[in-house]
């Protein structure tokens, strides 16, 4: 049993059951034992592989989409180029390489990397220092100064803490984590009044589960307020859907799914992103694009041309890997459809390339 498991059990015995959100926050970001604070989870030797780690094309195309949006908005200077949850810094380094040729873009950029893990901040520093003189780190978006904001977030919102509510015969009950016979286990809390769950949950049948992430909504609102006040655009890519009504909490260790309570602090813990929750939080302050999927977005941004251009210089074995990476990013049964993307941009403005303006009411 890990030290963190022991600590969680004694905490529950002393202070009562934990919400899933409290459990996720401790497991992912505890200063000593948290998953992101104590290890490097990325890559084939780690626990999971993200799109920027699959191919440089992902960051290049998203970076150019942001730079085009900056040009479309009159090239505001100075501006903030931010990334949420930059992992090893690979995405930002691809963005910086690809946008070098966009005149004035990098000179006007103050780059902010929002990263809660001090260990990963160090990794990002080592990776990015050579690319740009003007790099800053913050452990939350609150600490980033105001101003025109061009922001990118890949697989950030999936690690934001969620709460889960299940509809039972008794009404809505929150899924909690408790300790029994020296082990962590799930339990349902007391029945709650209907107002405790979001409106979108009301029509769901018994047995359904709804997940909410107040932390995700707060970040989406902050992004939209900044973009609404100044200028900017955000591109958010993650796995999930417009809405979900099932249990999507998942733990991954060494590329395999494991039980969410089995390896606290030693497995990645995520949930599918409910994009309607982000859109609802953003819409009072900015416009939101239609939800698209990773394959459609990358196709619209010209991934086929970019892949062909890169292949010209490759030998056969490099080309085989390159084709496999292309397929991994875009095939429907790999990342192409599971991963979705949305953009936040100024009201009455134009979305970044690859996105279309959503004029629907998100509650319909
Ligand atoms: N975007 C990267 C890494 C994704 S993993 C990629 O695509 O490869 C999630 C990242 O978010 C990690 O860097 C993790 O440390 C960071 N993170 C998780 N929770 C966070 C929080 N609450 N605030 C800031 N960063 C967080």
């Amino acid at each position: 049993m890990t030290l963190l498991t022991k600590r969680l059990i004694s905490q529950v015995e002393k202070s009562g059951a934990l919400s899933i959100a409290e459990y996720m926050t401790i497991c992912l970001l505890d200063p000593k034992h948290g998953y992101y604070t104590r290890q490097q989870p990325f890559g084939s030797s780690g626990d999971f592989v993200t799109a920027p780690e699959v191919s440089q094309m992902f960051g290049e195309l998203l970076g150019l989409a942001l730079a085009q949006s900056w040009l479309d908005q009159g090239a505001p200077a100075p501006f903030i180029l931010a990334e949420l949850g930059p992992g090893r810094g690979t995405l930002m380094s691809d963005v910086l390489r690809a946008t070098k040729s966009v005149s004035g873009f990098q000179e006007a950029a103050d780059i902010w990397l929002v990263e809660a893990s001090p260990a990963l901040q160090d990794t990002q520093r080592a990776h990015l220092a050579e690319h740009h003189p003007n790099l800053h780190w913050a452990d939350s978006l609150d600490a980033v100064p105001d101003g025109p904001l061009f922001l990118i977030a890949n697989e950030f919102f999936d690690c934001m803490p969620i709460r889960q509510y299940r509809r039972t015969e008794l009404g809505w009950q929150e899924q909690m984590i408790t300790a029994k016979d020296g082990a962590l286990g799930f339990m349902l809390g007391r029945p709650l009044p209907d107002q405790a769950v979001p409106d979108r949950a009301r029509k769901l049948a018994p047995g359904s589960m709804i997940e909410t992430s107040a932390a995700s909504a707060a970040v989406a609102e902050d992004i939209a307020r900044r973009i609404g006040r100044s200028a900017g655009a955000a591109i958010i890519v993650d796995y999930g859907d417009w809405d979900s009504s099932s249990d999507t909490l998942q733990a991954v260790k060494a590329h395999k799914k494991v039980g969410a309570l089995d390896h606290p602090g030693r497995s990645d813990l995520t949930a599918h992103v409910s994009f309607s929750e982000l859109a609802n939080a953003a819409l009072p302050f900015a416009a939101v694009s239609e939800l698209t999927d990773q394959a459609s977005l990358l196709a619209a941004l010209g991934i086929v041309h970019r892949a062909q251009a890169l292949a010209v210089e490759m030998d056969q074995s490099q080309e085989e890997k390159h084709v496999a990476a292309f397929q991994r990013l875009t095939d429907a049964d790999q990342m192409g459809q599971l991963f979705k993307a949305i953009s936040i941009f100024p009201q009455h403005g134009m979305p970044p390339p690859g996105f279309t303006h959503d004029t629907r009411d998100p509650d319909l």
Side-chain angles (χ1 to χ4, degrees):
M1 187 185 290
T2 64
L3 279 175
L4 189 57
T5 312
K6 280 193 194 137
R7 210 189 77 196
L8 284 161
I9 291 172
S10 72
Q11 185 172 336
V12 168
E13 284 169 351
K14 228 168 47 212
S15 323
L18 295 169
S19 69
I20 304 288
E22 289 165 319
Y23 177 74
M24 284 180 84
T25 303
I26 296 170
C27 290
L28 294 179
L29 293 172
D30 178 78
K32 219 158 137 201
H33 304 291
Y35 180 71
Y36 284 113
T37 26
R38 57 176 292 282
Q39 61 204 334
Q40 298 285 335
F42 310 100
S44 48
S45 61
D47 292 312
F48 57 88
V49 179
T50 59
E53 305 292 339
V54 170
S55 166
Q56 67 186 75
M57 296 185 288
F58 182 81
E60 289 172 347
L61 295 170
L62 295 192
L64 288 170
L66 271 191
Q68 183 61 52
S69 178
W70 177 76
L71 290 170
D72 292 342
Q73 294 183 47
F79 75 95
I80 289 163
L81 176 61
E83 183 179 353
L84 303 181
R88 297 200 315 156
T90 309
L91 174 55
M92 184 55 87
S93 76
D94 293 335
V95 167
L96 291 175
R97 198 185 50 258
T99 55
K100 254 196 193 120
S101 56
V102 180
S103 171
F105 184 73
Q106 297 209 4
E107 293 75 5
D110 252 336
I111 297 170
W112 281 85
L113 296 137
V114 177
E115 173 56 65
S117 155
L120 285 173
Q121 284 194 6
D122 287 344
T123 307
Q124 293 154 17
R125 243 176 231 113
H127 201 153
L128 291 169
E130 65 186 273
H131 290 279
H132 201 277
N134 210 356
L135 300 166
H136 312 271
W137 275 264
D139 56 14
S140 77
L141 183 59
D142 303 344
V144 174
D146 226 346
L149 174 69
F150 290 82
L151 176 143
I152 206 158
N154 182 58
E155 291 211 43
F156 169 78
F157 284 97
D158 62 52
C159 39
M160 289 285 101
I162 57 154
R163 296 177 80 147
Q164 295 183 321
Y165 301 90
R166 188 174 290 286
R167 176 163 239 166
T168 67
E169 322 271 76
L170 303 174
W172 286 100
Q173 293 178 272
E174 183 167 3
Q175 177 95 294
M176 306 290 286
I177 291 165
T178 186
K180 223 169 105 191
D181 305 326
L184 294 169
F186 289 109
M187 63 170 267
L188 289 174
R190 283 185 273 111
L192 298 164
D194 268 4
Q195 299 87 289
V197 296
D199 289 348
R200 66 190 158 99
R202 306 262 161 88
K203 49 183 185 283
L204 297 176
S208 308
M209 179 168 261
I210 184 118
E211 298 179 335
T212 66
S213 175
S216 294
V219 174
E221 178 179 327
D222 189 8
I223 293 170
R225 279 180 185 274
R226 288 162 184 262
I227 289 173
R229 260 196 310 266
S230 309
I235 297 180
I236 295 167
V237 184
D238 225 306
Y239 48 93
D241 238 310
W242 183 244
D243 231 336
S244 87
S245 53
S246 58
D247 176 0
T248 71
L249 182 68
Q250 81 174 26
V252 168
K253 190 169 164 39
H255 305 272
K256 291 208 177 71
K257 285 195 182 173
V258 293
L261 305 181
D262 294 346
H263 307 276
R266 306 254 164 159
S267 61
D268 189 30
L269 214 47
T270 60
H272 284 207
V273 172
S274 172
F275 285 90
S276 63
E277 203 172 16
L278 305 184
N280 277 320
L283 271 173
F285 311 99
V288 176
S289 73
E290 266 180 33
L291 190 66
T292 184
D293 61 38
Q294 181 167 302
S296 309
L297 175 64
L298 295 177
L301 296 178
I303 194 169
V304 172
H305 283 109
R306 182 65 187 135
Q308 284 164 346
L310 283 169
V312 170
E313 307 266 297
M314 290 178 180
D315 64 28
Q316 200 187 339
S317 91
Q318 286 170 322
E319 195 176 327
E320 276 164 18
K321 284 197 197 114
H322 178 56
V323 170
F326 174 88
Q327 287 169 340
R328 184 141 185 207
L329 289 181
T330 59
D331 274 8
D333 57 356
Q334 300 204 46
M335 298 174 106
Q337 278 184 359
L338 175 63
F339 281 76
K340 309 283 194 312
I342 209 168
S343 172
I344 301 173
F345 55 98
Q347 253 145 8
H348 314 297
M350 197 161 105
F355 292 94
T356 47
H357 197 156
D358 187 359
T359 46
R360 278 178 307 168
D361 179 336
D363 288 327
L364 293 181

